[in-house]
Amino acid sequence: MMMSTDQTALLEPLGLREISDAAIAVIDEQGMVVAWTQAAQHLVGYRAEDVVGRSAALVLASSEEALGVSAFAEQCRAQGGWSGTAAVRHRDGRTLNLSVRLSLLWGQGATHRWLVSLTDIGAPSPGMVNGSVRESMLARAPVGIAIRDPQLRCTWMNDTMEHDGISRDRRFGRRLKDALPGFEAEALEAVMRQVLASGTSAVHEYRAWPPQDPRRERAFSASFFCLQDAEGQALGVCSLTVDVTSNQRVRERLAILSHAGTRIGSSLDVMQTAQELASLAVPLLADYVTVDLAESVPLGKEPSARIDTMPDHSRVFRRAGLASIHPGIPESTSARGETISVPPSSPLASALRTGKSHLEPVLDTSPGTWVNHDPARAQKIRENGIHSLMIVPIRARHSVLGVALFARTEDPTPFQQDDVLLAEELVTRAALSLDNARQYTRERSTALTLQRNLLPHRLRGGVAVEAAGRYLPADTDAGVGGDWFDVIPLPCARVALVVGDVVGHGINAAVTMGRLRTAVRTLADLDLPPDELLNHLDDSVRQLTGEEDDAPDQIAAIMGATCVYAIYDPATRQCTMARAGHPPPAIVDAQGQVTFPDLPTGAPLGLGLGLVPFDAVEVELPEGSLLAFYTDGLVESRDGDIEVGMHRLSTALAQPEQSLEDLCSSVMETVPTQAASDDVALLLARIQTLKPAHIASWDLPTEPTVVSAARHLAAHQLSEWGLEHLVPTTELIISELVTNAIHHGAGPIRLRLIKHQVLTCEVFDSGKCYPRLRHARIVDENGRGLFMIAQLSSRWGFRSATGGKLVWADQELPSTLQEGV
């Protein structure tokens, strides 16, 4: 016999493809076809008029199978149905191997009929039903079958239809809206009327609350087929209904998890990530959600492995995420950002201690429960009708980050175990983002601390300049970059002004900036001219780059830098500048006129162009001038011309009457509000000029007798300044400096005294032989002069100057005299 019975699936209900693609027919107790569908005609070729009223054996492939139909019908009746394969004859004579299922239908008076479903084995689905219903059907969910007449009254049904608690007697002879009010009956009947009118089939999904479980929402998928009589007219409609609630929930959970992938962890901010978790879960999963983090987490500190290992002062949490379906979030006892403590006897503490989630499908608020020990929380629960609760610990890398609470108020359905699994999945995803954000916060805090320590805390311009600065990182999240500025006091009342820009952002750029700033300060202590300093700095950068190249496993820190370095002398108002690939400084005169000096550009530092020397330019600054040094982030942008930025800067600087702090703010406000592509550093320096009365200068001949005259001139000047107490030491210092200039230098000789914060004695000569401190032996007749100068002065030194060298020595002044400078 060609029929093959699948005993394991004998009583299995229909699967999805068999419902969506099935050729449906109805036969009576005698095996006569009483109803046919267009799908059956398309599958086996027979029209309704060919088979209705005739034996179903017509379509069987052989006479032997036809003879066995009666016996087979008895077997099906005894077992309540049948599932298997059968050879069916197509109208054109070919044989089809089909999957066949028979389902027993009951009518009034205990009569019965059979619903036959034929499906072509291996035929692809035309996609009549969507994917979620397809999965539900393939999961073999029970299928409810009902046949309705043209007036949509129920005439036949199977046993599964009674699983919703409504008996056959309540269905037979009644329309759907009469038997099941509120079951979206109107929409379903509209679909059935459309099927009857078109003679085709349709699928409709809907939600309902069955009478036997009115608090639990269910999802159903119903397939409708038009049954035809022998004339091809609509005889009725057959509906096959499947409960796809589990699949609907799967779809909803997959949708939530899909949203989680894009909505949680969009930034590296701990508080924002926690809020994203809360906002996502409401209302998709809960009506009210809180996310509380250990207070150390927003600070980037390492959390404890368990709450019971935390110090008492660390068992404080911060409300980082908060969301509710109700405006104003009335359910919460604390606002977002406030600190809270976890009651030790609550399931919140238990979840943190054990690392396991807590589920209360029905929240117990009776006396003696944990809620009763927390009056403020208990009042919120009663006032807002919180009836179901989930608590999920937030853990990452074996550490406790916090706890998330999910509650339902308006949604009457209690949380179930599958809700806990979904909440745990959401929290796990959020925990990874939170921990990444925590570690980022720690690294950012480290980098910011590093940069704060590397940048000058206070700009000290001495008597030379009044200075102010600003720094704005391009990456406002990271907060660090490679731009820097500095003001370095130099001997003889002068000051060095420097601004630099290291390529890149982040901690590597900050570290490199610190190394370069240290190198500049070290070179500035040698009192080198700007062009020589940049040459030495370029050598240092190239050496650092070479060290990085020798360590390929390390991240390269030196990637190139630009710099501008200037020295201003308040005694002469001369400013000497040089730059290495950096934008030129701006000079603003007392009337607000802005100019940019014509400085040779120079190559950026560290590019291997050390054979090309840097050039310095000396300019005399007008009285009351302002110098503005900046990095290219202030005047350049991705889509803007640098000339536009320079004009914008000039306009902002043309307000010399403003204080430096206000002027810094005005300039920084010109930075475009959109995300900057580069860091911005700004240094403003308003020049000051030493009063002529505080400077005394003499040109001396290169004769030994001039030493006595130099002492006399200095003593007289000190008396005029009221510094008689410094005359003896100053005479000794001048004697040694002038004598050295005569013996080891060349004429002319110039002596200069400067009274500022200290008393500076300078001696210039045109020689190139620099002084060197040495320890004279007992038998040596000379070599003790510089040693004596070092003992008499607070500090001393020398530097190259135009046409020769200059040796100087400082002596401290009383604070009362410093204030008058």
Side-chain angles (χ1 to χ4, degrees), residues 347 356-362 388-392 414-420:
K356 296 180 180 179
S357 301
H358 173 79
L359 170 64
E360 284 193 57
V362 179
S388 191
L389 193 70
M390 293 188 299
I391 298 172
V392 181
F415 287 121
Q416 302 297 323
Q417 191 59 42
D418 56 349
D419 295 312
V420 175

Side-chain angles (χ1 to χ4, degrees), residues 274-503:
Q275 183 58 42
E276 288 169 349
L277 169 60
S279 299
L280 174 67
V282 174
L284 296 178
L285 178 61
D287 297 333
Y288 166 62
V289 173
T290 64
V291 180
D292 300 326
L293 299 178
E295 196 169 28
S296 61
V297 173
L299 302 177
K301 298 179 181 178
E302 192 71 28
S304 300
R306 290 168 38 182
I307 189 174
D308 51 2
T309 63
M310 296 179 181
D312 291 340
H313 68 276
S314 298
R315 298 186 186 184
V316 177
F317 289 74
R318 186 173 299 276
R319 182 137 295 173
L322 193 58
S324 170
I325 61 173
H326 299 114
I329 316 181
E331 303 93 334
S332 180
T333 57
S334 303
R336 184 168 180 257
E338 292 184 353
T339 57
I340 62 171
S341 59
V342 175
S345 60
S346 69
L348 291 164
S350 176
L352 289 166
R353 184 172 56 254
T354 63
K356 296 180 180 179
S357 301
H358 173 79
L359 170 64
E360 284 193 57
V362 179
L363 183 59
D364 187 1
T365 59
S366 59
T369 61
W370 71 273
V371 175
N372 198 48
H373 290 89
D374 191 347
R377 195 185 302 269
Q379 182 178 358
K380 290 290 186 179
I381 289 174
R382 288 191 296 269
E383 290 176 351
N384 297 280
I386 298 176
H387 63 85
S388 191
L389 193 70
M390 293 188 299
I391 298 172
V392 181
I394 305 173
R395 299 176 61 89
R397 299 179 178 92
H398 310 292
S399 298
V400 176
L401 303 181
V403 62
L405 180 146
F406 304 82
R408 281 182 176 167
T409 55
E410 300 298 329
D411 187 343
T413 307
F415 287 121
Q416 302 297 323
Q417 191 59 42
D418 56 349
D419 295 312
V420 175
L421 295 176
L422 175 59
E424 289 176 339
E425 179 65 24
L426 288 177
V427 168
T428 298
R429 296 190 180 201
L432 293 176
S433 297
L434 284 168
D435 196 54
N436 289 337
R438 179 193 63 79
Q439 294 187 65
Y440 170 79
T441 300
R442 180 183 61 191
E443 293 181 4
R444 176 176 179 268
S445 177
T446 301
L448 286 173
T449 301
L450 171 66
Q451 188 174 52
R452 280 194 295 267
N453 290 333
L454 293 176
L455 287 174
H457 296 171
R458 182 179 177 185
L459 300 177
R460 300 178 182 273
V463 298
V465 298
E466 176 194 1
R470 290 285 192 279
Y471 173 72
L472 177 66
D475 184 356
T476 54
D477 289 331
V480 292
D483 291 11
W484 92 95
F485 54 83
D486 207 351
V487 177
I488 307 171
L490 296 178
C492 310
R494 297 167 304 129
V495 67
L497 305 165
V498 58
V499 171
D501 183 357
V502 174
V503 175

